[in-house]
Coordinates of all heavy atoms in Angstrom, one line a residue:
M1 N 172.4 81.5 111.9 CA 173.5 82.1 112.6 C 173.5 81.6 114.0 O 172.5 81.5 114.7 CB 173.4 83.6 112.6 CG 174.5 84.3 113.5 SD 174.3 86.1 113.6 CE 173.7 86.6 112.1
I2 N 174.7 81.2 114.5 CA 174.8 80.7 115.9 C 175.9 81.5 116.6 O 176.9 81.8 116.0 CB 175.3 79.2 115.9 CG1 174.2 78.3 115.3 CG2 175.6 78.7 117.3 CD1 174.6 76.9 115.2
V3 N 175.5 82.0 117.8 CA 176.5 82.7 118.7 C 176.4 82.0 120.1 O 175.4 81.4 120.4 CB 176.2 84.2 118.8 CG1 176.4 84.9 117.4 CG2 174.8 84.5 119.3
Y4 N 177.5 82.2 120.8 CA 177.6 81.6 122.1 C 177.7 82.7 123.2 O 178.4 83.7 122.9 CB 178.8 80.7 122.2 CG 178.7 79.5 121.2 CD1 179.2 79.6 119.9 CD2 178.0 78.4 121.5 CE1 179.0 78.6 119.0 CE2 177.8 77.3 120.6 CZ 178.4 77.5 119.4 OH 178.2 76.5 118.5
N5 N 177.1 82.6 124.3 CA 177.1 83.6 125.4 C 177.7 83.0 126.6 O 177.3 81.8 127.0 CB 175.7 84.1 125.6 CG 175.6 85.0 126.8 OD1 175.4 84.5 127.9 ND2 175.9 86.3 126.6
V6 N 178.6 83.7 127.3 CA 179.1 83.4 128.6 C 179.2 84.6 129.4 O 179.9 85.6 128.9 CB 180.5 82.7 128.5 CG1 181.0 82.3 129.9 CG2 180.4 81.4 127.6
D7 N 178.6 84.7 130.5 CA 178.9 85.8 131.4 C 178.7 87.2 130.8 O 179.6 88.1 130.8 CB 180.4 85.7 131.9 CG 180.6 86.5 133.2 OD1 179.7 86.8 134.0 OD2 181.8 86.8 133.5
R8 N 177.6 87.4 130.0 CA 177.2 88.6 129.3 C 178.2 89.0 128.2 O 178.3 90.1 127.8 CB 177.1 89.8 130.3 CG 176.0 89.5 131.4 CD 175.9 90.7 132.3 NE 175.6 91.9 131.6 CZ 174.4 92.5 131.4 NH1 173.3 91.9 131.9 NH2 174.2 93.6 130.7
R9 N 178.9 88.0 127.7 CA 179.8 88.2 126.5 C 179.3 87.2 125.4 O 178.9 86.1 125.7 CB 181.2 87.8 126.9 CG 181.9 88.6 127.9 CD 182.8 89.7 127.5 NE 183.4 89.6 126.3 CZ 184.7 89.4 126.1 NH1 185.5 89.1 127.1 NH2 185.2 89.3 124.8
F10 N 179.4 87.7 124.2 CA 179.0 86.9 123.0 C 180.2 86.5 122.2 O 181.1 87.3 122.0 CB 177.9 87.6 122.2 CG 176.6 87.7 122.8 CD1 176.2 88.7 123.7 CD2 175.7 86.7 122.7 CE1 175.0 88.8 124.3 CE2 174.4 86.7 123.2 CZ 174.1 87.7 124.1
F11 N 180.2 85.3 121.7 CA 181.3 84.8 120.9 C 180.8 84.2 119.6 O 179.8 83.4 119.6 CB 182.1 83.7 121.6 CG 182.6 84.2 123.0 CD1 181.9 84.1 124.1 CD2 183.9 84.9 123.0 CE1 182.4 84.6 125.3 CE2 184.4 85.4 124.2 CZ 183.6 85.2 125.4
P12 N 181.5 84.4 118.4 CA 181.0 83.8 117.2 C 181.4 82.3 117.1 O 180.8 81.6 116.4 CB 181.8 84.6 116.1 CG 183.0 85.1 116.8 CD 182.6 85.3 118.3
L13 N 182.4 81.9 117.9 CA 182.8 80.5 117.8 C 182.8 79.8 119.2 O 183.1 80.4 120.2 CB 184.3 80.4 117.3 CG 184.6 81.0 115.9 CD1 186.0 81.0 115.6 CD2 183.8 80.2 114.9
K14 N 182.4 78.5 119.2 CA 182.3 77.8 120.5 C 183.7 77.7 121.2 O 183.8 77.8 122.4 CB 181.7 76.4 120.2 CG 181.4 75.7 121.5 CD 180.6 74.4 121.3 CE 180.2 73.8 122.7 NZ 179.5 72.6 122.5
G15 N 184.7 77.5 120.3 CA 186.0 77.4 120.9 C 186.4 78.7 121.7 O 187.1 78.6 122.7
E16 N 186.0 79.8 121.2 CA 186.3 81.1 121.9 C 185.6 81.1 123.2 O 186.1 81.6 124.2 CB 186.0 82.3 121.0 CG 186.9 82.4 119.8 CD 186.4 83.5 118.9 OE1 185.4 84.2 119.1 OE2 187.1 83.7 117.9
A17 N 184.3 80.7 123.2 CA 183.5 80.7 124.4 C 184.2 79.7 125.5 O 184.2 80.0 126.6 CB 182.1 80.3 124.1
I18 N 184.6 78.6 125.0 CA 185.3 77.6 125.9 C 186.6 78.2 126.4 O 186.9 78.1 127.7 CB 185.6 76.3 125.1 CG1 184.3 75.5 124.8 CG2 186.5 75.4 126.0 CD1 184.4 74.3 123.9
A19 N 187.3 78.9 125.6 CA 188.6 79.5 126.0 C 188.3 80.5 127.1 O 189.0 80.6 128.1 CB 189.4 80.1 124.9
Y20 N 187.2 81.3 126.9 CA 186.9 82.3 127.9 C 186.5 81.7 129.2 O 186.9 82.1 130.3 CB 185.7 83.1 127.4 CG 185.2 84.2 128.3 CD1 185.8 85.4 128.3 CD2 184.2 84.0 129.2 CE1 185.4 86.5 129.2 CE2 183.7 85.0 130.1 CZ 184.3 86.2 130.1 OH 183.9 87.2 130.9
C21 N 185.7 80.5 129.2 CA 185.4 79.8 130.3 C 186.6 79.3 131.1 O 186.7 79.5 132.3 CB 184.5 78.6 130.0 SG 182.8 79.0 129.6
V22 N 187.5 78.7 130.4 CA 188.8 78.2 131.0 C 189.5 79.4 131.7 O 190.0 79.3 132.8 CB 189.6 77.5 130.0 CG1 191.0 77.2 130.5 CG2 188.9 76.2 129.5
E23 N 189.7 80.5 130.9 CA 190.4 81.6 131.4 C 189.8 82.2 132.7 O 190.5 82.7 133.6 CB 190.5 82.7 130.3 CG 191.4 83.9 130.8 CD 191.4 84.9 129.6 OE1 191.2 84.5 128.4 OE2 191.7 86.1 129.9
H24 N 188.5 82.3 132.8 CA 187.8 82.9 133.9 C 187.2 82.0 134.9 O 186.5 82.4 135.8 CB 186.7 83.8 133.3 CG 187.2 85.0 132.6 ND1 187.5 85.0 131.2 CD2 187.6 86.3 133.0 CE1 188.0 86.1 130.9 NE2 188.1 86.9 131.9
G25 N 187.5 80.7 134.8 CA 187.1 79.7 135.8 C 185.7 79.3 135.8 O 185.1 78.9 136.8
H26 N 185.0 79.5 134.6 CA 183.6 79.1 134.5 C 183.5 77.6 134.0 O 184.4 77.1 133.3 CB 182.9 79.9 133.5 CG 182.8 81.4 133.8 ND1 182.1 81.9 134.9 CD2 183.4 82.4 133.2 CE1 182.2 83.2 134.9 NE2 183.0 83.6 134.0
K27 N 182.4 76.9 134.3 CA 182.2 75.6 133.8 C 181.7 75.7 132.4 O 181.1 76.7 132.0 CB 181.1 74.9 134.7 CG 181.6 74.7 136.1 CD 180.6 74.0 136.9 CE 181.1 73.8 138.3 NZ 180.1 73.1 139.2
R28 N 181.9 74.7 131.6 CA 181.4 74.7 130.2 C 179.9 74.8 130.2 O 179.3 75.3 129.2 CB 181.8 73.4 129.5 CG 183.2 73.5 129.1 CD 183.5 72.4 128.1 NE 185.0 72.4 127.8 CZ 185.5 71.7 126.8 NH1 184.7 71.0 126.0 NH2 186.8 71.8 126.5
A29 N 179.2 74.3 131.2 CA 177.7 74.4 131.3 C 177.3 75.9 131.3 O 176.1 76.1 131.1 CB 177.2 73.7 132.5
S30 N 178.1 76.8 131.6 CA 177.7 78.2 131.6 C 177.7 78.8 130.2 O 177.4 80.0 130.0 CB 178.7 79.1 132.5 OG 180.0 79.0 131.9
I31 N 178.0 78.0 129.2 CA 177.9 78.5 127.8 C 176.5 78.3 127.3 O 175.9 77.2 127.4 CB 178.9 77.7 126.8 CG1 180.3 77.9 127.3 CG2 178.7 78.1 125.4 CD1 181.3 77.0 126.5
H32 N 175.9 79.3 126.7 CA 174.6 79.3 126.2 C 174.6 79.5 124.7 O 175.3 80.5 124.2 CB 173.7 80.4 126.8 CG 173.6 80.2 128.3 ND1 172.9 79.2 128.9 CD2 174.3 80.8 129.3 CE1 173.0 79.3 130.2 NE2 173.9 80.3 130.5
K33 N 174.0 78.6 123.9 CA 174.0 78.7 122.5 C 172.7 79.4 122.0 O 171.6 79.0 122.5 CB 174.1 77.3 121.9 CG 174.0 77.2 120.4 CD 174.1 75.7 120.0 CE 173.9 75.6 118.5 NZ 173.9 74.2 118.1
F34 N 172.9 80.4 121.1 CA 171.7 81.0 120.5 C 171.8 80.7 119.0 O 172.8 81.1 118.3 CB 171.8 82.5 120.7 CG 171.5 82.9 122.2 CD1 172.6 83.0 123.0 CD2 170.3 83.2 122.6 CE1 172.4 83.4 124.3 CE2 170.1 83.5 124.0 CZ 171.1 83.6 124.8
A35 N 170.7 80.1 118.5 CA 170.6 79.8 117.0 C 169.6 80.8 116.5 O 168.4 80.7 116.9 CB 170.3 78.4 116.8
I36 N 169.9 81.5 115.5 CA 169.0 82.5 114.9 C 168.9 82.1 113.4 O 170.0 82.1 112.7 CB 169.5 84.0 115.1 CG1 169.6 84.3 116.6 CG2 168.6 84.9 114.3 CD1 170.3 85.5 116.9
T37 N 167.7 81.8 113.0 CA 167.6 81.2 111.6 C 167.0 82.2 110.6 O 167.0 81.9 109.4 CB 166.8 79.9 111.6 OG1 165.5 80.2 112.1 CG2 167.5 78.8 112.4
N38 N 166.4 83.3 111.1 CA 165.7 84.2 110.2 C 165.7 85.6 110.8 O 166.1 85.8 111.9 CB 164.3 83.8 109.8 CG 163.4 83.6 111.0 OD1 163.3 84.6 111.8 ND2 162.7 82.5 111.1
R39 N 165.3 86.6 110.0 CA 165.3 88.0 110.4 C 164.3 88.2 111.6 O 164.6 89.1 112.4 CB 165.0 88.8 109.2 CG 166.0 88.8 108.2 CD 165.6 89.5 106.9 NE 165.0 90.8 107.1 CZ 165.0 91.8 106.2 NH1 165.4 91.5 105.0 NH2 164.4 93.0 106.4
D40 N 163.2 87.5 111.6 CA 162.3 87.7 112.7 C 162.9 87.3 114.0 O 162.7 88.0 115.0 CB 161.0 86.9 112.4 CG 160.2 87.5 111.2 OD1 160.3 88.7 110.9 OD2 159.5 86.7 110.6
E41 N 163.6 86.2 114.1 CA 164.2 85.7 115.3 C 165.3 86.7 115.7 O 165.5 87.0 116.9 CB 164.8 84.3 115.1 CG 163.7 83.3 115.0 CD 164.3 81.8 114.7 OE1 165.6 81.7 114.6 OE2 163.5 80.9 114.7
L42 N 166.1 87.2 114.7 CA 167.2 88.2 115.0 C 166.5 89.4 115.6 O 167.1 89.9 116.6 CB 167.9 88.5 113.8 CG 169.0 89.6 113.9 CD1 170.0 89.2 115.0 CD2 169.7 89.9 112.6
A43 N 165.4 89.9 115.1 CA 164.8 91.1 115.6 C 164.3 90.8 117.0 O 164.5 91.7 117.9 CB 163.7 91.6 114.6
A44 N 163.7 89.7 117.2 CA 163.2 89.4 118.6 C 164.3 89.3 119.6 O 164.2 89.7 120.7 CB 162.4 88.1 118.6
F45 N 165.4 88.7 119.2 CA 166.6 88.5 120.0 C 167.2 89.9 120.4 O 167.4 90.2 121.6 CB 167.7 87.7 119.3 CG 168.9 87.6 120.1 CD1 169.0 86.7 121.2 CD2 170.1 88.2 119.7 CE1 170.2 86.6 121.9 CE2 171.3 88.1 120.4 CZ 171.3 87.3 121.5
L46 N 167.3 90.8 119.4 CA 167.9 92.1 119.7 C 166.9 92.9 120.5 O 167.3 93.7 121.4 CB 168.2 92.8 118.4 CG 169.3 92.2 117.5 CD1 169.4 92.9 116.2 CD2 170.6 92.2 118.3
D47 N 165.6 92.8 120.3 CA 164.6 93.5 121.1 C 164.7 93.0 122.6 O 164.6 93.8 123.6 CB 163.2 93.3 120.6 CG 162.9 94.2 119.5 OD1 163.5 95.3 119.3 OD2 161.8 93.9 118.8
G48 N 165.0 91.7 122.7 CA 165.1 91.2 124.1 C 166.3 91.7 124.8 O 166.3 91.6 126.1
L49 N 167.3 92.1 124.1 CA 168.6 92.6 124.7 C 168.4 94.1 125.2 O 169.2 94.6 125.9 CB 169.8 92.5 123.8 CG 170.2 91.0 123.5 CD1 171.3 91.0 122.5 CD2 170.6 90.3 124.8
C50 N 167.4 94.7 124.6 CA 167.2 96.2 124.8 C 166.1 96.4 125.8 O 165.1 95.7 125.9 CB 166.9 96.9 123.5 SG 168.1 96.7 122.2
E51 N 166.3 97.5 126.6 CA 165.2 97.9 127.5 C 164.1 98.4 126.6 O 164.3 99.1 125.6 CB 165.6 99.0 128.4 CG 166.6 98.6 129.4 CD 166.0 97.8 130.6 OE1 164.8 97.8 130.7 OE2 166.8 97.2 131.4
P52 N 162.8 98.0 126.9 CA 161.7 98.6 126.1 C 161.6 100.1 126.2 O 161.9 100.6 127.3 CB 160.5 97.9 126.6 CG 160.9 97.4 127.9 CD 162.3 97.2 127.9
A53 N 161.2 100.8 125.2 CA 161.0 102.2 125.3 C 159.8 102.5 126.2 O 158.9 101.7 126.3 CB 160.7 102.8 123.9
P54 N 159.9 103.6 127.0 CA 158.8 103.8 128.0 C 157.4 104.0 127.4 O 156.4 103.7 128.0 CB 159.3 105.1 128.7 CG 160.5 105.6 128.1 CD 160.9 104.6 127.0
D55 N 157.4 104.4 126.1 CA 156.1 104.7 125.5 C 155.5 103.5 124.7 O 154.5 103.6 124.1 CB 156.2 105.9 124.5 CG 157.2 105.6 123.4 OD1 158.1 104.8 123.6 OD2 157.1 106.3 122.4
R56 N 156.2 102.3 124.8 CA 155.6 101.1 124.1 C 155.9 99.9 125.0 O 156.9 99.8 125.7 CB 156.2 101.0 122.7 CG 157.7 100.6 122.7 CD 158.2 100.5 121.3 NE 159.6 100.4 121.2 CZ 160.3 99.3 121.2 NH1 159.7 98.1 121.2 NH2 161.6 99.3 121.2
P57 N 155.0 98.9 124.9 CA 155.2 97.7 125.7 C 156.3 96.9 125.2 O 156.7 97.0 124.0 CB 153.8 97.0 125.6 CG 153.3 97.5 124.2 CD 153.8 98.9 124.1
S58 N 156.7 96.0 125.9 CA 157.8 95.0 125.5 C 157.3 94.2 124.3 O 156.1 93.8 124.3 CB 158.2 94.1 126.7 OG 159.1 93.1 126.2
P59 N 158.1 94.0 123.3 CA 157.6 93.2 122.2 C 157.6 91.7 122.4 O 157.1 90.9 121.6 CB 158.7 93.5 121.1 CG 159.9 93.8 121.9 CD 159.5 94.4 123.2
L60 N 158.0 91.3 123.6 CA 158.1 89.8 123.9 C 156.8 89.4 124.6 O 156.2 90.1 125.4 CB 159.3 89.6 124.8 CG 160.6 90.0 124.2 CD1 161.7 89.8 125.3 CD2 160.9 89.2 123.0
P61 N 156.4 88.2 124.2 CA 155.2 87.6 124.8 C 155.3 87.2 126.2 O 156.5 87.1 126.8 CB 154.9 86.4 123.9 CG 156.2 86.0 123.5 CD 157.0 87.2 123.3
D62 N 154.2 87.0 126.9 CA 154.3 86.5 128.3 C 154.9 85.1 128.3 O 154.7 84.3 127.4 CB 152.9 86.4 128.9 CG 152.3 87.7 129.2 OD1 153.1 88.7 129.4 OD2 151.0 87.8 129.2
V63 N 155.7 84.9 129.3 CA 156.5 83.6 129.3 C 156.3 82.9 130.7 O 156.4 83.6 131.7 CB 158.0 83.9 129.1 CG1 158.8 82.6 129.3 CG2 158.3 84.5 127.8
T64 N 156.0 81.7 130.7 CA 156.0 80.9 131.9 C 157.3 80.2 132.0 O 157.7 79.4 131.2 CB 154.8 79.8 131.9 OG1 153.6 80.5 131.7 CG2 154.8 79.1 133.1
V65 N 158.0 80.4 133.1 CA 159.4 79.9 133.3 C 159.2 78.6 134.1 O 158.7 78.6 135.2 CB 160.2 80.9 134.1 CG1 161.6 80.3 134.3 CG2 160.3 82.2 133.3
E66 N 159.7 77.5 133.5 CA 159.6 76.2 134.1 C 160.9 75.6 134.5 O 161.0 74.5 134.9 CB 158.9 75.2 133.1 CG 157.4 75.7 132.9 CD 156.7 74.7 132.0 OE1 157.3 73.8 131.5 OE2 155.5 75.0 131.7
R67 N 162.0 76.4 134.2 CA 163.3 75.9 134.5 C 164.2 77.1 134.9 O 163.7 78.2 134.8 CB 164.0 75.2 133.4 CG 164.2 76.0 132.1 CD 164.8 75.1 131.0 NE 165.1 75.9 129.9 CZ 166.3 76.5 129.7 NH1 167.2 76.4 130.6 NH2 166.5 77.2 128.6
E68 N 165.4 76.9 135.3 CA 166.3 77.9 135.7 C 166.6 78.8 134.5 O 166.9 78.3 133.5 CB 167.5 77.4 136.3 CG 168.5 78.4 136.8 CD 169.7 77.8 137.5 OE1 169.6 76.7 138.0 OE2 170.8 78.5 137.4
V69 N 166.5 80.1 134.7 CA 166.8 81.1 133.7 C 168.3 81.4 133.7 O 168.8 81.8 134.8 CB 165.9 82.4 133.8 CG1 166.3 83.4 132.8 CG2 164.5 82.0 133.9
P70 N 169.0 81.3 132.6 CA 170.4 81.6 132.6 C 170.7 83.1 132.9 O 169.9 83.9 132.7 CB 170.9 81.3 131.1 CG 169.7 80.8 130.4 CD 168.5 80.9 131.3
D71 N 171.9 83.3 133.5 CA 172.3 84.7 133.8 C 172.3 85.6 132.7 O 172.3 86.8 132.8 CB 173.6 84.7 134.6 CG 173.5 84.0 135.9 OD1 172.4 84.0 136.5 OD2 174.6 83.5 136.4
C72 N 172.5 85.1 131.5 CA 172.6 86.0 130.3 C 171.3 86.6 129.9 O 171.3 87.6 129.1 CB 173.1 85.2 129.1 SG 172.0 83.9 128.5
V73 N 170.2 86.2 130.5 CA 168.9 86.9 130.2 C 168.9 88.2 130.9 O 169.2 88.3 132.1 CB 167.7 86.0 130.7 CG1 166.4 86.7 130.5 CG2 167.7 84.7 129.9
P74 N 168.6 89.3 130.1 CA 168.6 90.6 130.7 C 167.7 90.7 132.0 O 166.6 90.1 132.0 CB 168.1 91.5 129.6 CG 168.3 90.8 128.3 CD 168.2 89.3 128.7
A75 N 168.1 91.6 132.9 CA 167.4 91.7 134.2 C 165.9 92.1 134.0 O 165.0 91.7 134.7 CB 168.1 92.7 135.1
F76 N 165.6 93.0 133.0 CA 164.3 93.5 132.8 C 163.3 92.3 132.4 O 162.2 92.3 132.7 CB 164.2 94.7 131.9 CG 164.3 94.3 130.4 CD1 163.1 94.2 129.7 CD2 165.5 94.3 129.8 CE1 163.2 93.9 128.3 CE2 165.6 94.0 128.5 CZ 164.5 93.8 127.7
L77 N 163.9 91.4 131.6 CA 163.1 90.2 131.2 C 162.9 89.3 132.4 O 161.8 88.8 132.6 CB 163.8 89.5 130.1 CG 163.8 90.1 128.7 CD1 164.6 89.3 127.7 CD2 162.4 90.3 128.3
R78 N 163.9 89.0 133.2 CA 163.8 88.2 134.3 C 162.7 88.7 135.3 O 161.9 88.0 135.8 CB 165.1 88.1 135.1 CG 166.2 87.4 134.3 CD 167.6 87.5 134.9 NE 167.7 86.8 136.2 CZ 167.9 85.5 136.3 NH1 168.2 84.8 135.2 NH2 168.0 84.9 137.4
K79 N 162.7 90.0 135.5 CA 161.7 90.7 136.4 C 160.3 90.5 135.8 O 159.4 90.2 136.5 CB 162.1 92.2 136.6 CG 161.2 92.8 137.6 CD 161.6 94.3 137.8 CE 160.7 94.9 138.8 NZ 161.1 96.4 139.0
S80 N 160.2 90.8 134.5 CA 158.9 90.7 133.8 C 158.4 89.2 133.9 O 157.2 89.0 133.8 CB 158.9 91.2 132.4 OG 159.6 90.3 131.6
W81 N 159.3 88.3 133.9 CA 158.9 86.9 134.0 C 158.6 86.4 135.4 O 158.2 85.3 135.6 CB 159.9 86.0 133.4 CG 160.1 86.2 131.9 CD1 159.4 86.9 131.0 CD2 161.2 85.7 131.1 NE1 159.9 86.8 129.8 CE2 161.1 86.1 129.8 CE3 162.3 84.9 131.5 CZ2 162.0 85.8 128.8 CZ3 163.2 84.6 130.4 CH2 163.0 85.1 129.1
G82 N 158.9 87.3 136.4 CA 158.7 86.9 137.8 C 159.8 86.1 138.3 O 159.7 85.4 139.3
V83 N 161.0 86.2 137.7 CA 162.2 85.5 138.2 C 163.2 86.6 138.7 O 163.6 87.5 137.9 CB 162.9 84.7 137.0 CG1 164.1 84.0 137.5 CG2 161.9 83.7 136.4
E84 N 163.6 86.5 139.9 CA 164.5 87.5 140.4 C 165.9 86.9 140.5 O 166.3 85.8 140.5 CB 164.1 87.9 141.8 CG 162.8 88.6 141.8 CD 162.8 89.9 140.9 OE1 163.8 90.6 140.9 OE2 161.7 90.2 140.4

């Protein structure tokens, strides 16, 4: 499954993401593609979009950020990665 993200919005088709960019004055480079190939990746993706419950740690591993993190990454993940 492939979905596209622009400005905290998800689109099933790339054409819809491009149309959104044009309508809102974004560059095409602001489109982020997410390819999910199995249930484990889907579960990890959905967990990443949710705030972790206070009684359990985040299900995501430690990440070393070596490039700019897109704005579509949730704030709690950016903070946990040391990216503000």
Side-chain angles (χ1 to χ4, degrees):
M1 174 186 322
I2 296 174
V3 294
Y4 300 90
N5 172 269
V6 180
D7 199 24
R8 299 182 57 100
R9 300 260 335 253
F10 287 90
F11 302 91
L13 301 173
K14 188 173 185 177
E16 292 175 359
I18 291 171
Y20 181 86
C21 286
V22 169
E23 182 179 338
H24 291 87
H26 298 294
K27 296 180 181 177
R28 284 190 183 196
S30 64
I31 299 173
H32 302 283
K33 176 181 173 181
F34 291 90
I36 300 169
T37 59
N38 60 50
R39 291 168 54 155
D40 293 329
E41 290 177 358
L42 176 60
F45 177 74
L46 294 173
D47 278 341
L49 294 176
C50 300
E51 292 283 346
D55 60 338
R56 67 181 169 94
S58 173
L60 301 175
D62 290 335
V63 175
T64 301
V65 179
E66 296 180 359
R67 63 182 186 89
E68 184 177 327
V69 178
D71 291 336
C72 63
V73 174
F76 78 94
L77 286 178
R78 297 170 65 86
K79 186 176 180 182
S80 72
W81 296 347
V83 178
E84 296 297 329

